[in-house]
Amino acid sequence: MPGFPLRLAALCALAVAAGACSSGDSGDAPPKPTPMGHTYLSTRVEGGAIPGGGPMTLTFDDGRITANSGCNTSSGTVDLSDNVLRTSRLAGTLMGCPGERGQADAWQNSFLEASPAWRLDGDNLILTGKDVTVHLTDKKIVTPDKPLTGTTWIATTLLTPDAKVRSAALDEARPTLTITADGQVSGTTGCNRLTGTAQLSPGDEVSFEVATTKMMCPPEVMEVEQHVLGVLDGHTEATIDADTLTLRNANGTGLELRAQ
């Protein structure tokens, strides 16, 4: 029929514009879920064991991985493409740990730097290496967020504007912080007793006003105390992730604390 091919071409052109003549899906596929933005705790290890018992804690954030398996904390860049976990050479703190825990860093870094395969099963992350498979679960499932008030928090890491600092002096001093529901503060700086008040604002801001006893301790413990008091001086930002409280003061100092 004269003109039929032209009419058919015109109709198909209109249909293509509407998506009817397309053989594929015009919509973008939803992004595949990845571990990025989550923290996981190991719940089971097949083919071996973490020296010292672990657990392995892995945090994925902004293209980086942070790992701790019971001794030092290591970190580096991470690439999760093709369901393979590829890290840079992991660098970490250099604190000595007693017994089998002292071997945890080498075990952990060797496993992670060997590019294990990864897959997600809901809130579970499974890492499969050559001989070892590590099963991990989202930290928020294993340990839900602790309340800011009524919890005794123990300082584990000193934060500066550029670094996270752990030391034997900090581990031995074990500064503590407790805030009651009515804003009363108690604890220790690692050397002296700590008392005062905390004004809790809506959101995550806390304003501290504290005082201490005046006992002298070894210089390395007094350095810890000075840092703690610098954080608890005025306005801080308080963030809770499971059993970890992070305090950041406007002056740039901070603390990471673990629920007792």
Side-chain angles (χ1 to χ4, degrees), residues 35 40 60 118-120 123-127 134-137:
Y40 296 87
F60 299 86
W118 68 267
R119 66 180 177 89
L120 285 175
D123 294 313
N124 300 309
L125 171 66
I126 298 95
L127 300 180
V134 181
H135 296 257
L136 307 100
T137 300

Side-chain angles (χ1 to χ4, degrees), residues 86-156:
R86 301 179 179 89
T87 73
S88 62
R89 185 70 177 269
L90 298 176
T93 53
L94 299 174
M95 182 179 65
C97 297
E100 290 188 352
R101 285 177 54 210
Q103 305 172 36
D105 297 341
W107 185 95
Q108 164 194 278
N109 294 355
S110 176
F111 175 75
L112 295 175
E113 291 174 4
S115 300
W118 68 267
R119 66 180 177 89
L120 285 175
D121 181 9
D123 294 313
N124 300 309
L125 171 66
I126 298 95
L127 300 180
T128 303
K130 182 179 179 181
D131 302 308
V132 174
T133 297
V134 181
H135 296 257
L136 307 100
T137 300
D138 195 301
K139 185 177 180 181
K140 288 187 176 295
I141 302 299
V142 179
T143 53
D145 289 353
K146 295 286 188 180
L148 174 62
T149 59
T151 301
T152 296
W153 301 96
I154 302 173
T156 60

Side-chain angles (χ1 to χ4, degrees), residues 35-236:
M36 199 59 66
H38 295 264
T39 295
Y40 296 87
L41 296 179
S42 65
T43 55
R44 181 161 55 98
V45 179
E46 298 175 357
I50 301 172
M56 174 186 281
T57 303
L58 298 181
T59 298
F60 299 86
D61 184 48
D62 196 25
R64 296 187 63 82
I65 184 172
T66 302
N68 183 288
S69 293
C71 187
N72 286 286
T73 298
S74 300
S75 63
T77 59
V78 64
D79 179 358
L80 299 172
S81 59
D82 302 320
N83 285 90
V84 177
L85 190 153
R86 301 179 179 89
T87 73
S88 62
R89 185 70 177 269
L90 298 176
T93 53
L94 299 174
M95 182 179 65
C97 297
E100 290 188 352
R101 285 177 54 210
Q103 305 172 36
D105 297 341
W107 185 95
Q108 164 194 278
N109 294 355
S110 176
F111 175 75
L112 295 175
E113 291 174 4
S115 300
W118 68 267
R119 66 180 177 89
L120 285 175
D121 181 9
D123 294 313
N124 300 309
L125 171 66
I126 298 95
L127 300 180
T128 303
K130 182 179 179 181
D131 302 308
V132 174
T133 297
V134 181
H135 296 257
L136 307 100
T137 300
D138 195 301
K139 185 177 180 181
K140 288 187 176 295
I141 302 299
V142 179
T143 53
D145 289 353
K146 295 286 188 180
L148 174 62
T149 59
T151 301
T152 296
W153 301 96
I154 302 173
T156 60
T157 308
L158 308 181
L159 306 178
T160 72
D162 303 313
K164 295 183 175 184
V165 180
R166 292 191 62 191
S167 67
L170 176 62
D171 285 350
E172 292 172 5
R174 290 171 59 86
T176 62
L177 175 69
T178 303
I179 306 171
T180 64
D182 61 356
Q184 297 300 305
V185 172
S186 61
T188 72
T189 63
C191 177
N192 286 284
R193 292 194 307 276
L194 182 73
T195 58
T197 59
Q199 183 176 353
L200 310 179
S201 302
D204 56 5
E205 187 173 286
V206 183
S207 183
F208 288 97
E209 187 172 335
V210 300
T212 69
T213 54
K214 301 300 180 181
M215 183 173 66
M216 295 300 295
C217 293
E220 61 272 18
V221 176
M222 298 307 293
E223 289 181 8
V224 170
E225 175 175 282
Q226 184 178 10
H227 187 99
V228 170
L229 293 178
V231 176
L232 304 181
D233 180 17
H235 295 288
T236 69

